[in-house]
Amino acid sequence: MQSGPMAKAVLIHKPDSKYDDDPSVRYDFPKAYLSRIEKTVGDWIVYYEPRSANQNTGRLAYFATAQVDRIQAHADLKDRFFAFMKAGTFLGFDRPVARQVGGEIIERALRRDDGGLLNGGVANSAVRMIDNDGFAKIIQYAFTVDPGELGVEQSPETIDGYGHFGEAAQQPFRGPDADRTIISTLINRPFRDAAFARQVKAAYGNRCAISGLSLRNGGGRPEVEAAHIRPVKDGGPDSVRNGLALSHTLHWMFDRGLISIAEDHSILISHNKVPDDTVARLILPQRRLLEPADHRCRPHPEYLRYHREEIFGT
């Protein structure tokens, strides 16, 4: 289901939305936006979080990107549709990106003639088209890793937390091949691994979610690692909600199904494989997961269910 050439878009997503959204998997939308989202099939979108319904929360920022795979009509609701994201393309941002950076409004559609920010009208639209230049600017501000250093192991602790791709790194995103270059960056596995690790570690405050330990080496680098709950090879996304910050040993145990997380976030242990003295040394006495302070970063129940049913105890 697609008409005309591909195009990029900004999709509005509220964590407390009444729609059946899961940003890493699907976007639920009414028929009014169908013609716009049809143009995005095969191209990339950016998610934007507005104010919540109660107006007390909401980042007012772009927070993730993904590639649209297909559109499907809602099975139960008339005039509702899903845009499904291509597996393995969703990627959260290291930092939310505001609509206005350095005095510049990134989306052309939101710029008034006098250079100010539009209020109302298109600014309130749940789906807005965005040009390649605007998309590239958002991506440049969103991540810390210089794409020129892809493939090199990077520690977020050695990178300026307020930096982005940097002036030198912006050069590849100019010219006729700019869009191709930035897309190749977004699907590059080392780049994605580094971004996922930074985001998961930050969400958990560099503390192991199962042992509670926060250790650093002599250079100040945290010992904690980022674990995918549902592995990438099994279709797990690079979403902080599919991640846990774990010590090296507990990461190894989690990946091999020796431990898991129950629906109520208590720690499950394969007692026939893990000795009691090991449990006593490695796992918090209360045997409950330490959760991120930000509810938007807490593990998704579906990924935890997958780990329990497909990996734990196997």
Side-chain angles (χ1 to χ4, degrees), residues 68-235:
V68 179
D69 183 53
R70 69 189 190 280
I71 296 173
Q72 182 176 311
H74 202 296
D76 302 317
L77 298 176
K78 183 182 179 181
D79 293 336
R80 286 267 288 277
F81 297 83
F82 288 113
F84 285 94
M85 304 303 147
K86 184 176 180 180
T89 62
F90 175 89
L91 189 60
F93 293 164
D94 288 353
R95 65 184 62 79
V97 178
R99 290 181 295 186
Q100 187 168 346
V101 179
E104 178 187 16
I105 297 167
I106 296 176
E107 288 184 67
R108 292 182 190 275
L110 300 184
R111 299 174 193 167
R112 297 199 309 253
D113 291 340
D114 63 3
L117 181 66
L118 281 175
N119 290 310
V122 68
N124 293 331
S125 175
V127 179
R128 301 191 294 265
M129 310 314 293
I130 187 171
D131 59 24
N132 288 343
D133 182 64
F135 177 78
K137 282 186 170 67
I138 293 171
I139 299 303
Q140 288 167 356
Y141 288 123
F143 296 103
T144 59
V145 174
D146 184 334
E149 298 178 0
L150 291 177
V152 178
E153 181 180 357
Q154 304 221 15
S155 166
E157 293 73 38
T158 65
I159 301 172
D160 178 5
Y162 296 96
H164 47 83
F165 279 149
E167 290 301 320
Q170 289 181 30
Q171 188 61 38
F173 302 133
R174 297 171 184 154
D177 293 328
D179 190 55
R180 184 184 304 174
T181 300
I182 201 165
I183 298 309
S184 66
T185 298
L186 288 173
I187 63 175
N188 180 280
R189 192 67 245 171
F191 176 84
R192 298 179 69 86
D193 285 342
F196 175 76
R198 286 192 302 274
Q199 293 161 28
V200 171
K201 291 177 183 180
Y204 286 85
N206 290 316
R207 183 180 299 276
C208 176
I210 291 179
S211 71
L213 294 177
S214 180
L215 303 175
R216 293 179 179 268
N217 64 19
R221 183 174 181 176
E223 180 265 352
V224 74
E225 300 174 354
H228 284 87
I229 300 171
R230 178 169 182 161
V232 171
K233 66 180 180 62
D234 297 338

Side-chain angles (χ1 to χ4, degrees), residues 52-71:
S52 64
N54 61 21
Q55 298 294 309
N56 293 325
T57 60
R59 288 177 284 190
L60 294 177
Y62 311 101
F63 66 91
T65 187
Q67 184 181 12
V68 179
D69 183 53
R70 69 189 190 280
I71 296 173

Side-chain angles (χ1 to χ4, degrees), residues 42 53 66 102 148 241 266-267 296:
R241 299 202 69 191
S266 58
I267 309 300
R296 292 169 296 204

